[in-house]
Amino acid sequence: MLSVSICGTILVIGLVAAAASFWFAFEEARDLQDDELREIAWLVSPGDAKVLSSQGGFKQADEPGMRIWVLKVSKLATRLVTPDLTLTLPGELSDGLHTIDSHGESWRIYIRPMSAEYGLAVAQRTSARDEIARDSALRTLIPLLAVIPVLIILAGILIRILLRKVQQLSAEVDRRGDTDLAPLVAEGAPSEILPFVSSTNRLLGRLQSAISQQRQFVADAAHELRSPVTAMTLQLENAMTVEGTSDAVLARLAPLGKSISRMRSLVEQLLMLAEREAGPPTVSHDIDAKVVVIDVLGEIFPFADSKDIDLGLDVGESLTIQGGQEDFRALVRNAIDNAVLYTPPGGKVDVRLYREGNAAVFEVEDSGPGIPHEELPRVFDAFYRVVGSGQPGSGLGLTIVRSAAARLGGKVSLHTIASRGKTGLRFVYAQEVVDA
Ligand SMILES: Nc1ncnc2c1ncn2[C@@H]1O[C@H](COP(=O)(O)OP(=O)(O)OP(=O)(O)O)[C@@H](O)[C@H]1O
Ligand SMILES: [Mg+2]
């Protein structure tokens, strides 16, 4: 995650900077302490040094361990003894600074020559020096350590502000339907993410045009196929009505007739789907749902009658919905078509149109075999057919229904009925009513 890695980087850099700053401040403090030893040694005048007892003395400090000792040291001496302190030197020490070990303690010592016989030694325990240096180095860290959490909080807030627009855009994309490829609105987006929004919009544009081309191709192909299929139907009818055609030839032409009619229905369905998807957006106007349902039912009635299907109609008041009339007609036609087609002869199909709350509900319930639950989500896919339905079809009917419903702004659902020995399918379409 971006915020975690940025905050982690700030933390690591901050800690490294703190460590470096501590180290430099520590070394600096030690140099200052060396300077202090040197200064003390050089503040003692030769006269004072002469009178300084060999026992020496110390610079007053709060803690005895912190004391700085000023000692007169004979050139040949290896032990400096005072009532408070005994220092053993490793040998004759040259002038300048040294670090020595004496009686298990480490000492920093500065030797200043005073005469041929003696010099001046200014000494301090290194443990005390290190403690002072550490304390002063730690004090330099306080502002830096205080800044790190402030920086981390600020970085987190800035990243959240920067990414808020990205989150809004991704939520908008998630809310969209499958067919909505409209450009993303970049208004209010930080300039850093504008190039990304522009590239996404260019990609959506290219996708939209590729899909349109593909849909147009299908629409053109279906349209072009219509004339030869109609011609084939007519030629076949002519061939079958020629006088003197033997029964054997007629028997062979019959399956051809079935294939041509299947092909014609496929072309019609393809064209209907392509027109739904490739055509310009439908002009929305008021549709009297009752009139359309009765009209479509009238068209399908002869087919239902030929199958001895009891086709019932229950429409009450007129209900007005808004959208493209052809979309609603295609939806109603395919729903009733399916019910009559897949219900075995002698069955029952009930068509209802009623108002529920603010919605017009169009419902088709049949007494056919229904659709197995696991197949329900798939039957809306193009060319998907349930195996073993035993009826001819192209598998495009429900795809047309879904596409039409999306354009109309309604909701379609299928419910398999399987209770108390009853089977069937209930098709439900609901869309908001336009009140006059
Ligand atoms: N009322 C129904 N009862 C039982 N099965 C159905 C019903 N409606 C649809 N189906 C199943 O769903 C499948 C898909 O239906 P759809 O209408 O999309 O295609 P089709 O009827 O096979 O072909 P088309 O409608 O394009 O001529 C069908 O093949 C059928 O198996
Ligand atoms: Mg169908």
Side-chain angles (χ1 to χ4, degrees):
M1 229 170 106
L2 184 64
S3 50
V4 172
S5 50
I6 289 182
C7 292
T9 309
I10 291 175
L11 187 66
V12 170
I13 292 176
L15 291 178
V16 169
S21 146
F22 175 82
W23 173 254
F24 287 127
F26 187 73
E27 288 299 308
E28 185 70 29
R30 289 222 288 212
D31 284 351
L32 283 173
Q33 286 169 333
D34 283 347
D35 289 347
E36 191 184 8
L37 294 187
R38 211 176 281 124
E39 263 171 37
I40 290 173
W42 285 93
L43 278 173
V44 179
S45 68
D48 293 338
K50 217 177 241 175
V51 296
L52 199 69
S53 81
S54 62
Q55 290 177 347
F58 49 79
K59 186 180 168 212
Q60 204 60 44
D62 293 343
E63 286 179 47
M66 298 275 182
R67 286 170 185 163
I68 296 176
W69 295 81
V70 182
L71 305 155
K72 195 170 161 189
V73 48
S74 150
K75 282 280 170 173
L76 296 173
T78 55
R79 272 167 77 84
L80 306 175
V81 184
T82 76
D84 302 303
L85 171 76
T86 304
L87 257 183
T88 305
L89 307 179
E92 191 182 337
L93 290 180
S94 57
D95 306 339
L97 282 160
H98 305 273
T99 304
I100 61 161
D101 281 322
S102 169
H103 306 285
E105 280 185 303
S106 175
W107 287 79
R108 187 74 168 158
I109 184 162
Y110 180 76
I111 305 285
R112 178 190 164 191
M114 298 301 284
S115 70
E117 295 85 38
Y118 69 91
L120 210 59
V122 182
Q124 189 179 23
R125 286 182 177 85
T126 50
S127 57
R129 289 160 50 92
D130 287 351
E131 195 182 320
I132 295 166
R134 207 177 306 119
D135 285 350
S136 76
L138 280 176
R139 272 195 292 277
T140 66
L141 283 189
I142 291 170
L144 192 60
L145 290 177
V147 157
I148 293 175
V150 173
L151 276 181
I152 289 177
I153 292 168
L154 273 181
I157 292 171
L158 283 176
I159 291 167
R160 198 160 298 166
I161 291 172
L162 192 71
L163 292 186
R164 189 178 298 149
K165 185 66 191 177
V166 178
Q167 280 163 353
Q168 280 170 2
L169 288 174
S170 69
E172 188 206 317
V173 171
D174 284 345
R175 273 196 305 273
R176 285 185 177 194
D178 298 348
T179 50
D180 188 355
L181 294 175
L184 301 172
V185 181
E187 204 180 303
S191 56
E192 287 80 1
I193 67 160
L194 280 183
F196 174 69
V197 177
S198 308
S199 319
T200 308
N201 282 343
R202 281 197 292 277
L203 178 68
L204 286 174
R206 288 200 296 275
L207 205 59
Q208 176 77 69
S209 99
I211 290 174
S212 303
Q213 276 175 17
Q214 192 206 355
R215 285 178 178 161
Q216 195 55 51
F217 174 79
V218 176
D220 292 348
H223 191 77
E224 291 302 313
L225 279 169
R226 222 179 186 182
S227 315
V229 169
T230 311
M232 279 161 76
T233 312
L234 290 174
Q235 281 156 10
L236 184 71
E237 276 169 11
N238 286 344
M240 289 177 87
T241 49
V242 170
E243 258 182 57
T245 308
S246 71
D247 285 351
V249 173
L250 282 177
R252 288 189 179 195
L253 287 179
L256 183 60
K258 274 192 180 163
S259 298
I260 292 177
S261 118
R262 212 174 289 171
M263 195 169 168
R264 202 173 58 193
S265 100
L266 172 63
V267 169
E268 290 302 331
Q269 290 287 68
L270 255 185
L271 194 60
M272 197 187 284
L273 180 63
E275 277 171 355
R276 298 273 85 69
E277 297 195 329
T282 31
V283 186
S284 196
H285 41 229
D286 288 355
I287 308 167
D288 187 337
K290 182 176 168 179
V291 171
V292 176
V293 171
I294 293 174
D295 196 34
V296 172
L297 207 78
E299 286 172 15
I300 297 177
F301 187 76
F303 176 45
D305 198 36
S306 71
K307 278 185 80 176
D308 193 22
I309 284 178
D310 175 9
L311 189 55
L313 177 66
D314 179 7
V315 287
E317 50 175 330
S318 273
L319 293 173
T320 308
I321 55 170
Q322 253 202 343
Q325 171 118 352
E326 283 313 306
D327 282 326
F328 187 59
R329 202 182 169 79
L331 182 146
V332 171
R333 173 150 201 127
N334 275 289
I336 305 178
D337 233 8
N338 278 350
V340 174
L341 185 67
Y342 295 107
T343 301
K348 198 166 162 33
V349 171
D350 286 315
V351 177
R352 298 180 202 109
L353 181 70
Y354 57 93
R355 184 181 179 132
E356 196 172 77
N358 215 18
V361 182
F362 164 65
E363 200 176 280
V364 184
E365 189 174 320
D366 64 51
S367 62
I371 299 175
H373 280 288
E374 60 280 9
E375 308 249 21
L376 279 177
R378 303 196 59 194
V379 287
F380 287 97
D381 294 346
F383 303 110
Y384 189 82
R385 309 201 66 231
V386 178
V387 179
S389 69
Q391 297 297 333
S394 52
L396 289 176
L398 290 175
T399 314
I400 293 169
V401 166
R402 186 181 56 182
S403 165
R407 282 158 69 102
L408 287 161
K411 201 169 171 299
V412 65
S413 56
L414 291 176
H415 312 267
T416 288
I417 306 162
S419 67
R420 282 176 263 120
K422 250 178 80 176
T423 63
L425 188 80
R426 185 159 66 246
F427 172 102
V428 183
Y429 174 71
Q431 183 181 341
E432 204 181 321
V433 178
V434 182
D435 285 314

